[in-house]
Amino acid sequence: MIYMLDILTAIFAMATGFATSWVVVEIVRLAGWREPAARPKARGPVTLGADLVLAAIAGPRLLLVNGFENWRHGRMSLALYAVLALVAAGWSMCSGVVVLQVAFASGFFLA
């Protein structure tokens, strides 16, 4: 049986994931991120790891925004955009759970 509290917790985790995604993308833009060049320079393992973490956190926002632009300009069907939105929702729920676990493990919510 699914309780209402479980559904609300899932929605809260999804909203946390989307909010984290939006905040990270805006911080990275303020820091001067630009589209990658055609032939990027050789990257070290630390830079590559940071890029992967950034992509994992910012992914739901990028999926929704880029999918909406493609649907609006007729390059994507509405059904495909709906599937894309569901993937973004699931992805943000997973990243939201990680963010909430880190927040609770930090001890700020135990007082």
Side-chain angles (χ1 to χ4, degrees), residues 11-50:
I11 290 171
F12 182 69
M14 185 173 51
T16 302
F18 276 127
T20 303
S21 174
W22 249 265
V23 167
V24 166
V25 167
E26 293 306 320
I27 288 173
V28 169
R29 281 188 180 164
L30 284 173
W33 177 80
R34 297 290 178 259
E35 291 290 329
R39 291 185 54 100
K41 298 182 290 189
R43 298 183 197 174
V46 174
T47 306
L48 183 61

Side-chain angles (χ1 to χ4, degrees), residues 30-74:
L30 284 173
W33 177 80
R34 297 290 178 259
E35 291 290 329
R39 291 185 54 100
K41 298 182 290 189
R43 298 183 197 174
V46 174
T47 306
L48 183 61
D51 287 345
L52 288 174
V53 169
L54 177 64
I57 293 174
R61 186 213 185 262
L62 297 176
L63 276 179
L64 282 179
V65 170
N66 292 336
F68 182 74
E69 282 295 317
N70 287 330
W71 171 70
R72 200 174 89 189
H73 294 297

